[in-house]
Amino acid sequence: MTFAALANAISTALVPLLLLLIPLAGLLRKVRVYDAFVEGAKEGFNVAVRIIPFLVAMLVAIGMFRASGAMALLARAVEPATRLVGMPAEALPAALLRPLSGSGTLALVSEVMRTNGPDSFVGRLVSTIYGSTETTFYVLAVYFGAVGIRGTRHAVAAGLLGDLAGIAAALLVCRLLF
Amino acid sequence: MLNAVWIGLIVIAVVVGAATGRLDAVTKAAFDSSRGAVELAIGLVGVMALWLGVMKIAEEAGIVRVLARLLRPVARRLFPDVPADHPALAAIVLNVSASWLGLGNAATPLGLKAMEELQKLNPAKDTASNAMVTFLALNTSSITLVPATIIAVRVTLGSANPTEIVAPTILASACATVVAVGAAKLLERLPVFRVAAPPTPHPETADEGRP
C-alpha cells in the first residue's frame, strides 16, 4: 500500500507545487508574472471553444448510440473478452478510439464519467487512458504532412504498440491503485 | 477513419432504435447530448485558463530551456544519426520538454521545426528517417506531467478528487513511451521497414559527442 500512498501523495502535491514554484521561478527570472498569466489564460477560452464542434459531433452520435440500446448490445457482446483482462466493458470504446481521435475520446471519456461518476473505477480508468498517450494518427498526419513524407515505414506500428502499452499499463496501474 | 466511426454510430443507433422501438429516446438523446457538449466545453474554460496562464509564466521564465538542457544527453543517445550540435537536436529536446509540461500549443511548432531539421539530414526525402520515426514515437506516446484537460473535465463533473489520476497517468504514459521508442528502435532494423537506398552515415557522429 506504500506505492498507492506515494502515488496519491504525488497526485495531490504536484498541482499545488507547480502552481507555487512556476510563478516563483518566473519572479526570480524577472518575468511580469501577472501579465504573463493573463496572456496565457486568454488561450483557455479559445481552446475550450475550439473543441465544441468536435464534442457536439461525437457526443450526439454516442448519445444516440447509447439511447438506441446498441451500446448495451455491444457491451454484452465484448464482455467475455474484456473480462479476461479485467477491462470494464464501458471503458473499451474509449480505449479503441484513443489512437484515432483525441477530441472524440475526450467526448467518450466525459460520457463514461457522466454516466458512471468520475470517481468510479471505470471513471478513473478512462481518465488515465485518455492521458496515457497522444492521438497517434493525428500526430503522424500533422508532422509527416508538414515535411511531405509519404513513406512512413514503422511509425504507425511503433505508435500503435505504444498506445497498446499505455492502455494496458493504465488498466494495470488503476487495478493496483483504486 | 473517424468519418466511418461517426456515421457508423449514427446508422446503427437509428437502425437499432427503430428495431427496438426507441426512436423517441434516440431523438431526445441527440438534443440532450448537443446541449451537454456545450455545457461541458464551457465548464472547461476556467481550469484551462488557469493552467495555460501558469504555463505561459513557465515559458517566459525559461523553464522549458532548462528542461531542454537536462534532456540533452538522453536525446543524443536516442538519435545517433543526428550530429550533436545540429539544430534538430535542440528542437527535438524543446518539443519534448514543452509537451511534458502540457504546452500543446508551444510543442507543435517546435515539433514541426524539428521535423524540418530532420528532413535536411534525411537522404530519402519522401521516406521517414530512423530519427523521424523515433521522434514521432516520443510524440505519439508523450508523457504529460499534468493532464490539464482531463482534470478540468473531472472538476466539471463533480469529482471529489480530480487530480488523483495524475500519478497513474504519468506511469501509464511512461510505459507507452518506453514501448513506442523501443519498438521504433527495434523495427527500424527489420527488412520490411528498411529504406530502399541505405542512408549514408554522418561521419561527424561516428566518434564525436557520445556521452
Side-chain angles (χ1 to χ4, degrees), chain A residues 11 29 36 43 57 68-69 118-119 124 127 132 134 143 147 150-151 153-154 162, chain B residues 6 13 22 56 61 105 119 126 128 130 136 140 154 159-160 164 167 173 184 193:
Chain A
S11 294
R29 296 299 205 89
E43 268 295 293
S68 71
D119 299 326
R124 290 155 163 169
S127 300
S132 68
E134 263 294 333
Y143 282 23
V147 291
R150 287 210 240 128
R153 293 173 65 212
H154 50 304
Chain B
W6 191 68
R22 288 192 205 152
K56 186 74 189 172
N105 289 337
Q119 181 71 324
D126 63 344
N130 287 344
L136 290 192
T140 57
R154 292 172 61 81
S159 168
E164 69 187 343
S173 61
F193 295 124

PDB file of all heavy atoms in Angstrom, chain A residues 11 29 36 43 57 68-69 118-119 124 127 132 134 143 147 150-151 153-154 162, chain B residues 6 13 22 56 61 105 119 126 128 130 136 140 154 159-160 164 167 173 184 193:
ATOM      1  N   SER A  11       0.041  12.697  -6.684  1.00  0.00           N
ATOM      2  CA  SER A  11      -1.134  13.252  -7.354  1.00  0.00           C
ATOM      3  C   SER A  11      -1.645  14.490  -6.630  1.00  0.00           C
ATOM      4  O   SER A  11      -2.051  15.459  -7.257  1.00  0.00           O
ATOM      5  CB  SER A  11      -2.255  12.201  -7.411  1.00  0.00           C
ATOM      6  OG  SER A  11      -1.888  11.123  -8.216  1.00  0.00           O
ATOM      7  N   ARG A  29      13.195  35.137 -12.290  1.00  0.00           N
ATOM      8  CA  ARG A  29      13.705  35.471 -13.620  1.00  0.00           C
ATOM      9  C   ARG A  29      13.174  36.815 -14.110  1.00  0.00           C
ATOM     10  O   ARG A  29      13.241  37.115 -15.284  1.00  0.00           O
ATOM     11  CB  ARG A  29      13.335  34.380 -14.623  1.00  0.00           C
ATOM     12  CG  ARG A  29      13.965  33.029 -14.342  1.00  0.00           C
ATOM     13  CD  ARG A  29      15.477  33.141 -14.394  1.00  0.00           C
ATOM     14  NE  ARG A  29      16.067  31.843 -14.708  1.00  0.00           N
ATOM     15  CZ  ARG A  29      16.293  31.416 -15.955  1.00  0.00           C
ATOM     16  NH1 ARG A  29      15.983  32.160 -16.981  1.00  0.00           N
ATOM     17  NH2 ARG A  29      16.811  30.238 -16.159  1.00  0.00           N
ATOM     18  N   ALA A  36       2.000  37.825 -17.738  1.00  0.00           N
ATOM     19  CA  ALA A  36       2.214  36.579 -18.479  1.00  0.00           C
ATOM     20  C   ALA A  36       1.052  35.626 -18.235  1.00  0.00           C
ATOM     21  O   ALA A  36       0.532  34.999 -19.169  1.00  0.00           O
ATOM     22  CB  ALA A  36       3.529  35.934 -18.056  1.00  0.00           C
ATOM     23  N   GLU A  43      -5.886  32.139 -23.790  1.00  0.00           N
ATOM     24  CA  GLU A  43      -5.941  30.973 -24.670  1.00  0.00           C
ATOM     25  C   GLU A  43      -6.945  29.929 -24.179  1.00  0.00           C
ATOM     26  O   GLU A  43      -7.475  29.162 -24.961  1.00  0.00           O
ATOM     27  CB  GLU A  43      -4.559  30.325 -24.762  1.00  0.00           C
ATOM     28  CG  GLU A  43      -3.726  30.834 -25.903  1.00  0.00           C
ATOM     29  CD  GLU A  43      -4.337  30.464 -27.243  1.00  0.00           C
ATOM     30  OE1 GLU A  43      -4.365  29.265 -27.551  1.00  0.00           O
ATOM     31  OE2 GLU A  43      -4.800  31.372 -27.951  1.00  0.00           O
ATOM     32  N   ALA A  57     -20.386  16.806 -32.194  1.00  0.00           N
ATOM     33  CA  ALA A  57     -20.480  15.719 -33.172  1.00  0.00           C
ATOM     34  C   ALA A  57     -20.388  14.356 -32.493  1.00  0.00           C
ATOM     35  O   ALA A  57     -21.245  13.480 -32.694  1.00  0.00           O
ATOM     36  CB  ALA A  57     -19.380  15.866 -34.218  1.00  0.00           C
ATOM     37  N   SER A  68     -30.291   4.083 -28.199  1.00  0.00           N
ATOM     38  CA  SER A  68     -30.956   3.075 -29.035  1.00  0.00           C
ATOM     39  C   SER A  68     -30.833   1.679 -28.419  1.00  0.00           C
ATOM     40  O   SER A  68     -31.504   0.745 -28.864  1.00  0.00           O
ATOM     41  CB  SER A  68     -30.326   3.064 -30.423  1.00  0.00           C
ATOM     42  OG  SER A  68     -29.029   2.511 -30.356  1.00  0.00           O
ATOM     43  N   GLY A  69     -29.975   1.518 -27.426  1.00  0.00           N
ATOM     44  CA  GLY A  69     -29.762   0.198 -26.850  1.00  0.00           C
ATOM     45  C   GLY A  69     -28.612  -0.546 -27.505  1.00  0.00           C
ATOM     46  O   GLY A  69     -28.268  -1.652 -27.108  1.00  0.00           O
ATOM     47  N   PRO A 118     -17.282  10.348 -12.010  1.00  0.00           N
ATOM     48  CA  PRO A 118     -15.842  10.494 -12.231  1.00  0.00           C
ATOM     49  C   PRO A 118     -15.002   9.713 -11.226  1.00  0.00           C
ATOM     50  O   PRO A 118     -13.850   9.389 -11.498  1.00  0.00           O
ATOM     51  CB  PRO A 118     -15.600  12.001 -12.095  1.00  0.00           C
ATOM     52  CG  PRO A 118     -16.789  12.546 -11.395  1.00  0.00           C
ATOM     53  CD  PRO A 118     -17.935  11.639 -11.699  1.00  0.00           C
ATOM     54  N   ASP A 119     -15.563   9.390 -10.055  1.00  0.00           N
ATOM     55  CA  ASP A 119     -14.786   8.689  -9.037  1.00  0.00           C
ATOM     56  C   ASP A 119     -15.056   7.189  -8.999  1.00  0.00           C
ATOM     57  O   ASP A 119     -14.592   6.493  -8.093  1.00  0.00           O
ATOM     58  CB  ASP A 119     -15.053   9.313  -7.655  1.00  0.00           C
ATOM     59  CG  ASP A 119     -14.643  10.777  -7.632  1.00  0.00           C
ATOM     60  OD1 ASP A 119     -13.656  11.121  -8.313  1.00  0.00           O
ATOM     61  OD2 ASP A 119     -15.316  11.577  -6.959  1.00  0.00           O
ATOM     62  N   ARG A 124     -12.129   6.544 -13.311  1.00  0.00           N
ATOM     63  CA  ARG A 124     -10.692   6.777 -13.127  1.00  0.00           C
ATOM     64  C   ARG A 124      -9.891   6.116 -14.239  1.00  0.00           C
ATOM     65  O   ARG A 124      -8.892   6.663 -14.718  1.00  0.00           O
ATOM     66  CB  ARG A 124     -10.244   6.211 -11.787  1.00  0.00           C
ATOM     67  CG  ARG A 124     -10.778   6.995 -10.607  1.00  0.00           C
ATOM     68  CD  ARG A 124     -10.844   6.100  -9.400  1.00  0.00           C
ATOM     69  NE  ARG A 124     -10.952   6.860  -8.172  1.00  0.00           N
ATOM     70  CZ  ARG A 124     -11.232   6.301  -6.997  1.00  0.00           C
ATOM     71  NH1 ARG A 124     -11.427   4.995  -6.932  1.00  0.00           N
ATOM     72  NH2 ARG A 124     -11.322   7.034  -5.918  1.00  0.00           N
ATOM     73  N   SER A 127     -10.099   8.114 -17.439  1.00  0.00           N
ATOM     74  CA  SER A 127      -9.296   9.330 -17.269  1.00  0.00           C
ATOM     75  C   SER A 127      -7.820   9.028 -17.523  1.00  0.00           C
ATOM     76  O   SER A 127      -7.115   9.788 -18.183  1.00  0.00           O
ATOM     77  CB  SER A 127      -9.444   9.883 -15.850  1.00  0.00           C
ATOM     78  OG  SER A 127     -10.774  10.197 -15.559  1.00  0.00           O
ATOM     79  N   SER A 132      -2.837   8.752 -21.155  1.00  0.00           N
ATOM     80  CA  SER A 132      -1.680   7.863 -21.248  1.00  0.00           C
ATOM     81  C   SER A 132      -0.957   7.946 -22.584  1.00  0.00           C
ATOM     82  O   SER A 132       0.222   7.649 -22.664  1.00  0.00           O
ATOM     83  CB  SER A 132      -2.089   6.417 -20.968  1.00  0.00           C
ATOM     84  OG  SER A 132      -2.907   5.940 -22.007  1.00  0.00           O
ATOM     85  N   GLU A 134      -0.817  10.070 -26.754  1.00  0.00           N
ATOM     86  CA  GLU A 134      -1.323  11.111 -27.651  1.00  0.00           C
ATOM     87  C   GLU A 134      -2.142  10.449 -28.764  1.00  0.00           C
ATOM     88  O   GLU A 134      -2.181   9.225 -28.876  1.00  0.00           O
ATOM     89  CB  GLU A 134      -0.144  11.882 -28.254  1.00  0.00           C
ATOM     90  CG  GLU A 134       0.179  13.170 -27.531  1.00  0.00           C
ATOM     91  CD  GLU A 134      -0.946  14.197 -27.675  1.00  0.00           C
ATOM     92  OE1 GLU A 134      -1.672  14.137 -28.682  1.00  0.00           O
ATOM     93  OE2 GLU A 134      -1.104  15.028 -26.779  1.00  0.00           O
ATOM     94  N   TYR A 143       2.732  15.867 -38.553  1.00  0.00           N
ATOM     95  CA  TYR A 143       4.191  16.007 -38.624  1.00  0.00           C
ATOM     96  C   TYR A 143       4.757  15.497 -39.944  1.00  0.00           C
ATOM     97  O   TYR A 143       5.630  16.141 -40.529  1.00  0.00           O
ATOM     98  CB  TYR A 143       4.856  15.298 -37.432  1.00  0.00           C
ATOM     99  CG  TYR A 143       4.780  16.087 -36.153  1.00  0.00           C
ATOM    100  CD1 TYR A 143       3.801  17.059 -35.974  1.00  0.00           C
ATOM    101  CD2 TYR A 143       5.666  15.886 -35.116  1.00  0.00           C
ATOM    102  CE1 TYR A 143       3.720  17.791 -34.795  1.00  0.00           C
ATOM    103  CE2 TYR A 143       5.608  16.607 -33.940  1.00  0.00           C
ATOM    104  CZ  TYR A 143       4.631  17.555 -33.791  1.00  0.00           C
ATOM    105  OH  TYR A 143       4.555  18.281 -32.633  1.00  0.00           O
ATOM    106  N   VAL A 147       6.351  17.952 -43.704  1.00  0.00           N
ATOM    107  CA  VAL A 147       7.598  17.893 -44.466  1.00  0.00           C
ATOM    108  C   VAL A 147       7.459  17.002 -45.700  1.00  0.00           C
ATOM    109  O   VAL A 147       8.461  16.675 -46.340  1.00  0.00           O
ATOM    110  CB  VAL A 147       8.789  17.412 -43.588  1.00  0.00           C
ATOM    111  CG1 VAL A 147       9.139  18.480 -42.562  1.00  0.00           C
ATOM    112  CG2 VAL A 147       8.476  16.083 -42.907  1.00  0.00           C
ATOM    113  N   ARG A 150       5.866  10.581 -47.385  1.00  0.00           N
ATOM    114  CA  ARG A 150       4.769   9.655 -47.680  1.00  0.00           C
ATOM    115  C   ARG A 150       5.072   8.239 -47.195  1.00  0.00           C
ATOM    116  O   ARG A 150       4.178   7.520 -46.797  1.00  0.00           O
ATOM    117  CB  ARG A 150       4.469   9.663 -49.178  1.00  0.00           C
ATOM    118  CG  ARG A 150       3.774  10.972 -49.520  1.00  0.00           C
ATOM    119  CD  ARG A 150       2.828  10.837 -50.674  1.00  0.00           C
ATOM    120  NE  ARG A 150       3.262  11.738 -51.737  1.00  0.00           N
ATOM    121  CZ  ARG A 150       3.451  11.352 -52.985  1.00  0.00           C
ATOM    122  NH1 ARG A 150       3.267  10.093 -53.325  1.00  0.00           N
ATOM    123  NH2 ARG A 150       3.827  12.219 -53.881  1.00  0.00           N
ATOM    124  N   GLY A 151       6.331   7.838 -47.276  1.00  0.00           N
ATOM    125  CA  GLY A 151       6.712   6.524 -46.761  1.00  0.00           C
ATOM    126  C   GLY A 151       6.938   6.626 -45.265  1.00  0.00           C
ATOM    127  O   GLY A 151       7.959   7.146 -44.826  1.00  0.00           O
ATOM    128  N   ARG A 153       7.113   4.152 -43.080  1.00  0.00           N
ATOM    129  CA  ARG A 153       7.844   2.994 -42.545  1.00  0.00           C
ATOM    130  C   ARG A 153       7.197   2.447 -41.261  1.00  0.00           C
ATOM    131  O   ARG A 153       6.010   2.176 -41.252  1.00  0.00           O
ATOM    132  CB  ARG A 153       9.311   3.364 -42.341  1.00  0.00           C
ATOM    133  CG  ARG A 153      10.023   3.616 -43.688  1.00  0.00           C
ATOM    134  CD  ARG A 153      11.411   4.132 -43.504  1.00  0.00           C
ATOM    135  NE  ARG A 153      12.274   3.135 -42.846  1.00  0.00           N
ATOM    136  CZ  ARG A 153      13.282   3.462 -42.041  1.00  0.00           C
ATOM    137  NH1 ARG A 153      13.541   4.717 -41.762  1.00  0.00           N
ATOM    138  NH2 ARG A 153      14.011   2.513 -41.501  1.00  0.00           N
ATOM    139  N   HIS A 154       7.982   2.347 -40.184  1.00  0.00           N
ATOM    140  CA  HIS A 154       7.464   1.672 -38.987  1.00  0.00           C
ATOM    141  C   HIS A 154       6.802   2.634 -38.000  1.00  0.00           C
ATOM    142  O   HIS A 154       6.551   2.265 -36.868  1.00  0.00           O
ATOM    143  CB  HIS A 154       8.580   0.898 -38.300  1.00  0.00           C
ATOM    144  CG  HIS A 154       9.830   1.703 -38.073  1.00  0.00           C
ATOM    145  ND1 HIS A 154      10.506   2.340 -39.091  1.00  0.00           N
ATOM    146  CD2 HIS A 154      10.524   1.974 -36.959  1.00  0.00           C
ATOM    147  CE1 HIS A 154      11.554   2.960 -38.606  1.00  0.00           C
ATOM    148  NE2 HIS A 154      11.594   2.758 -37.305  1.00  0.00           N
ATOM    149  N   GLY A 162       2.866   1.577 -28.780  1.00  0.00           N
ATOM    150  CA  GLY A 162       2.911   2.460 -27.625  1.00  0.00           C
ATOM    151  C   GLY A 162       1.531   2.678 -27.032  1.00  0.00           C
ATOM    152  O   GLY A 162       1.352   2.643 -25.808  1.00  0.00           O
TER     153      GLY A 162
ATOM    154  N   TRP B   6     -18.026   7.660 -37.065  1.00  0.00           N
ATOM    155  CA  TRP B   6     -19.122   8.576 -36.718  1.00  0.00           C
ATOM    156  C   TRP B   6     -20.426   8.176 -37.404  1.00  0.00           C
ATOM    157  O   TRP B   6     -21.459   8.020 -36.744  1.00  0.00           O
ATOM    158  CB  TRP B   6     -18.721   9.999 -37.121  1.00  0.00           C
ATOM    159  CG  TRP B   6     -19.621  11.064 -36.596  1.00  0.00           C
ATOM    160  CD1 TRP B   6     -19.764  11.436 -35.298  1.00  0.00           C
ATOM    161  CD2 TRP B   6     -20.507  11.880 -37.353  1.00  0.00           C
ATOM    162  NE1 TRP B   6     -20.683  12.449 -35.205  1.00  0.00           N
ATOM    163  CE2 TRP B   6     -21.148  12.744 -36.446  1.00  0.00           C
ATOM    164  CE3 TRP B   6     -20.808  11.972 -38.713  1.00  0.00           C
ATOM    165  CZ2 TRP B   6     -22.087  13.684 -36.848  1.00  0.00           C
ATOM    166  CZ3 TRP B   6     -21.738  12.922 -39.117  1.00  0.00           C
ATOM    167  CH2 TRP B   6     -22.371  13.759 -38.182  1.00  0.00           C
ATOM    168  N   ALA B  13     -27.370   3.402 -34.484  1.00  0.00           N
ATOM    169  CA  ALA B  13     -28.314   3.928 -33.494  1.00  0.00           C
ATOM    170  C   ALA B  13     -29.727   3.990 -34.071  1.00  0.00           C
ATOM    171  O   ALA B  13     -30.691   3.558 -33.423  1.00  0.00           O
ATOM    172  CB  ALA B  13     -27.869   5.318 -33.034  1.00  0.00           C
ATOM    173  N   ARG B  22     -37.255   2.451 -29.906  1.00  0.00           N
ATOM    174  CA  ARG B  22     -36.762   3.515 -29.014  1.00  0.00           C
ATOM    175  C   ARG B  22     -36.368   4.770 -29.786  1.00  0.00           C
ATOM    176  O   ARG B  22     -35.500   5.518 -29.361  1.00  0.00           O
ATOM    177  CB  ARG B  22     -35.540   3.026 -28.256  1.00  0.00           C
ATOM    178  CG  ARG B  22     -35.882   2.017 -27.193  1.00  0.00           C
ATOM    179  CD  ARG B  22     -34.673   1.795 -26.282  1.00  0.00           C
ATOM    180  NE  ARG B  22     -34.757   0.484 -25.688  1.00  0.00           N
ATOM    181  CZ  ARG B  22     -33.713  -0.236 -25.302  1.00  0.00           C
ATOM    182  NH1 ARG B  22     -32.498   0.235 -25.475  1.00  0.00           N
ATOM    183  NH2 ARG B  22     -33.875  -1.419 -24.756  1.00  0.00           N
ATOM    184  N   LYS B  56       2.311  29.796 -19.376  1.00  0.00           N
ATOM    185  CA  LYS B  56       2.893  30.951 -20.068  1.00  0.00           C
ATOM    186  C   LYS B  56       4.028  31.543 -19.216  1.00  0.00           C
ATOM    187  O   LYS B  56       5.072  31.926 -19.738  1.00  0.00           O
ATOM    188  CB  LYS B  56       1.802  31.999 -20.316  1.00  0.00           C
ATOM    189  CG  LYS B  56       2.231  33.165 -21.151  1.00  0.00           C
ATOM    190  CD  LYS B  56       2.350  32.756 -22.601  1.00  0.00           C
ATOM    191  CE  LYS B  56       2.987  33.858 -23.423  1.00  0.00           C
ATOM    192  NZ  LYS B  56       3.282  33.386 -24.778  1.00  0.00           N
ATOM    193  N   ALA B  61       9.754  32.269 -18.140  1.00  0.00           N
ATOM    194  CA  ALA B  61      10.813  32.156 -17.134  1.00  0.00           C
ATOM    195  C   ALA B  61      11.968  31.289 -17.628  1.00  0.00           C
ATOM    196  O   ALA B  61      12.970  31.145 -16.938  1.00  0.00           O
ATOM    197  CB  ALA B  61      10.241  31.580 -15.843  1.00  0.00           C
ATOM    198  N   ASN B 105       0.328  23.955 -27.434  1.00  0.00           N
ATOM    199  CA  ASN B 105       0.453  24.990 -28.453  1.00  0.00           C
ATOM    200  C   ASN B 105       1.897  25.353 -28.734  1.00  0.00           C
ATOM    201  O   ASN B 105       2.244  25.776 -29.828  1.00  0.00           O
ATOM    202  CB  ASN B 105      -0.302  26.254 -28.031  1.00  0.00           C
ATOM    203  CG  ASN B 105      -1.794  26.035 -28.082  1.00  0.00           C
ATOM    204  OD1 ASN B 105      -2.257  25.153 -28.802  1.00  0.00           O
ATOM    205  ND2 ASN B 105      -2.535  26.807 -27.323  1.00  0.00           N
ATOM    206  N   GLN B 119      14.492  16.581 -41.732  1.00  0.00           N
ATOM    207  CA  GLN B 119      14.347  16.384 -43.171  1.00  0.00           C
ATOM    208  C   GLN B 119      15.620  16.805 -43.912  1.00  0.00           C
ATOM    209  O   GLN B 119      15.976  16.212 -44.927  1.00  0.00           O
ATOM    210  CB  GLN B 119      13.107  17.159 -43.672  1.00  0.00           C
ATOM    211  CG  GLN B 119      12.803  17.031 -45.146  1.00  0.00           C
ATOM    212  CD  GLN B 119      12.286  15.662 -45.546  1.00  0.00           C
ATOM    213  OE1 GLN B 119      12.700  14.643 -45.017  1.00  0.00           O
ATOM    214  NE2 GLN B 119      11.361  15.628 -46.492  1.00  0.00           N
ATOM    215  N   ASP B 126      11.220  11.548 -49.440  1.00  0.00           N
ATOM    216  CA  ASP B 126       9.799  11.227 -49.297  1.00  0.00           C
ATOM    217  C   ASP B 126       9.578  10.071 -48.320  1.00  0.00           C
ATOM    218  O   ASP B 126       8.452   9.599 -48.152  1.00  0.00           O
ATOM    219  CB  ASP B 126       9.168  10.912 -50.664  1.00  0.00           C
ATOM    220  CG  ASP B 126       9.801   9.692 -51.296  1.00  0.00           C
ATOM    221  OD1 ASP B 126      10.898   9.286 -50.846  1.00  0.00           O
ATOM    222  OD2 ASP B 126       9.203   9.136 -52.234  1.00  0.00           O
ATOM    223  N   ALA B 128      10.392   8.418 -44.357  1.00  0.00           N
ATOM    224  CA  ALA B 128      10.782   8.777 -42.998  1.00  0.00           C
ATOM    225  C   ALA B 128      12.163   8.213 -42.664  1.00  0.00           C
ATOM    226  O   ALA B 128      12.482   7.083 -43.039  1.00  0.00           O
ATOM    227  CB  ALA B 128       9.756   8.251 -42.006  1.00  0.00           C
ATOM    228  N   ASN B 130      15.091   7.083 -39.695  1.00  0.00           N
ATOM    229  CA  ASN B 130      15.007   6.454 -38.376  1.00  0.00           C
ATOM    230  C   ASN B 130      14.789   7.493 -37.283  1.00  0.00           C
ATOM    231  O   ASN B 130      13.991   7.298 -36.361  1.00  0.00           O
ATOM    232  CB  ASN B 130      16.293   5.685 -38.080  1.00  0.00           C
ATOM    233  CG  ASN B 130      16.394   4.412 -38.900  1.00  0.00           C
ATOM    234  OD1 ASN B 130      15.390   3.970 -39.459  1.00  0.00           O
ATOM    235  ND2 ASN B 130      17.569   3.847 -38.978  1.00  0.00           N
ATOM    236  N   LEU B 136       8.771  10.772 -33.609  1.00  0.00           N
ATOM    237  CA  LEU B 136       7.305  10.713 -33.573  1.00  0.00           C
ATOM    238  C   LEU B 136       6.812   9.680 -32.574  1.00  0.00           C
ATOM    239  O   LEU B 136       5.744   9.839 -31.992  1.00  0.00           O
ATOM    240  CB  LEU B 136       6.742  10.450 -34.972  1.00  0.00           C
ATOM    241  CG  LEU B 136       6.907  11.632 -35.928  1.00  0.00           C
ATOM    242  CD1 LEU B 136       6.091  11.449 -37.181  1.00  0.00           C
ATOM    243  CD2 LEU B 136       6.528  12.942 -35.250  1.00  0.00           C
ATOM    244  N   THR B 140       3.880  10.546 -30.128  1.00  0.00           N
ATOM    245  CA  THR B 140       2.574   9.887 -30.101  1.00  0.00           C
ATOM    246  C   THR B 140       2.282   9.289 -28.735  1.00  0.00           C
ATOM    247  O   THR B 140       1.142   8.954 -28.445  1.00  0.00           O
ATOM    248  CB  THR B 140       2.467   8.768 -31.149  1.00  0.00           C
ATOM    249  OG1 THR B 140       3.512   7.832 -30.923  1.00  0.00           O
ATOM    250  CG2 THR B 140       2.567   9.311 -32.546  1.00  0.00           C
ATOM    251  N   ARG B 154     -12.960  16.369 -15.008  1.00  0.00           N
ATOM    252  CA  ARG B 154     -13.315  15.747 -13.732  1.00  0.00           C
ATOM    253  C   ARG B 154     -13.849  16.786 -12.744  1.00  0.00           C
ATOM    254  O   ARG B 154     -14.780  16.508 -11.986  1.00  0.00           O
ATOM    255  CB  ARG B 154     -12.112  14.999 -13.154  1.00  0.00           C
ATOM    256  CG  ARG B 154     -11.725  13.768 -13.979  1.00  0.00           C
ATOM    257  CD  ARG B 154     -10.424  13.138 -13.517  1.00  0.00           C
ATOM    258  NE  ARG B 154     -10.499  12.681 -12.144  1.00  0.00           N
ATOM    259  CZ  ARG B 154     -11.043  11.526 -11.779  1.00  0.00           C
ATOM    260  NH1 ARG B 154     -11.526  10.716 -12.686  1.00  0.00           N
ATOM    261  NH2 ARG B 154     -11.093  11.196 -10.520  1.00  0.00           N
ATOM    262  N   SER B 159     -16.002  15.578  -9.477  1.00  0.00           N
ATOM    263  CA  SER B 159     -15.158  14.586  -8.819  1.00  0.00           C
ATOM    264  C   SER B 159     -14.716  15.085  -7.441  1.00  0.00           C
ATOM    265  O   SER B 159     -14.424  16.259  -7.256  1.00  0.00           O
ATOM    266  CB  SER B 159     -13.928  14.298  -9.675  1.00  0.00           C
ATOM    267  OG  SER B 159     -12.990  13.553  -8.935  1.00  0.00           O
ATOM    268  N   ALA B 160     -14.663  14.139  -6.456  1.00  0.00           N
ATOM    269  CA  ALA B 160     -14.229  14.515  -5.116  1.00  0.00           C
ATOM    270  C   ALA B 160     -12.720  14.744  -5.091  1.00  0.00           C
ATOM    271  O   ALA B 160     -12.200  15.484  -4.274  1.00  0.00           O
ATOM    272  CB  ALA B 160     -14.605  13.425  -4.110  1.00  0.00           C
ATOM    273  N   GLU B 164      -6.511  12.803  -8.634  1.00  0.00           N
ATOM    274  CA  GLU B 164      -5.982  11.508  -8.197  1.00  0.00           C
ATOM    275  C   GLU B 164      -5.478  10.664  -9.368  1.00  0.00           C
ATOM    276  O   GLU B 164      -4.777   9.682  -9.159  1.00  0.00           O
ATOM    277  CB  GLU B 164      -7.048  10.716  -7.425  1.00  0.00           C
ATOM    278  CG  GLU B 164      -8.187  10.251  -8.313  1.00  0.00           C
ATOM    279  CD  GLU B 164      -9.315   9.610  -7.529  1.00  0.00           C
ATOM    280  OE1 GLU B 164      -9.087   9.236  -6.381  1.00  0.00           O
ATOM    281  OE2 GLU B 164     -10.411   9.496  -8.098  1.00  0.00           O
ATOM    282  N   ALA B 167      -0.797  10.580 -10.988  1.00  0.00           N
ATOM    283  CA  ALA B 167       0.279   9.586 -10.895  1.00  0.00           C
ATOM    284  C   ALA B 167       0.024   8.380 -11.803  1.00  0.00           C
ATOM    285  O   ALA B 167       0.935   7.965 -12.536  1.00  0.00           O
ATOM    286  CB  ALA B 167       0.481   9.150  -9.443  1.00  0.00           C
ATOM    287  N   SER B 173       1.715   6.641 -19.168  1.00  0.00           N
ATOM    288  CA  SER B 173       2.305   7.237 -20.362  1.00  0.00           C
ATOM    289  C   SER B 173       3.807   6.973 -20.429  1.00  0.00           C
ATOM    290  O   SER B 173       4.371   6.892 -21.517  1.00  0.00           O
ATOM    291  CB  SER B 173       1.982   8.727 -20.463  1.00  0.00           C
ATOM    292  OG  SER B 173       2.489   9.432 -19.371  1.00  0.00           O
ATOM    293  N   ALA B 184      10.220   1.525 -32.049  1.00  0.00           N
ATOM    294  CA  ALA B 184      10.810   2.279 -33.163  1.00  0.00           C
ATOM    295  C   ALA B 184      12.255   1.842 -33.390  1.00  0.00           C
ATOM    296  O   ALA B 184      12.682   1.641 -34.531  1.00  0.00           O
ATOM    297  CB  ALA B 184      10.742   3.783 -32.883  1.00  0.00           C
ATOM    298  N   PHE B 193      10.971  -2.730 -43.193  1.00  0.00           N
ATOM    299  CA  PHE B 193      10.949  -1.288 -42.958  1.00  0.00           C
ATOM    300  C   PHE B 193      12.229  -0.591 -43.424  1.00  0.00           C
ATOM    301  O   PHE B 193      12.435   0.580 -43.166  1.00  0.00           O
ATOM    302  CB  PHE B 193      10.726  -0.996 -41.469  1.00  0.00           C
ATOM    303  CG  PHE B 193       9.379  -1.438 -40.985  1.00  0.00           C
ATOM    304  CD1 PHE B 193       9.252  -2.311 -39.920  1.00  0.00           C
ATOM    305  CD2 PHE B 193       8.229  -0.973 -41.611  1.00  0.00           C
ATOM    306  CE1 PHE B 193       8.003  -2.711 -39.482  1.00  0.00           C
ATOM    307  CE2 PHE B 193       6.979  -1.369 -41.173  1.00  0.00           C
ATOM    308  CZ  PHE B 193       6.867  -2.239 -40.105  1.00  0.00           C
TER     309      PHE B 193
END
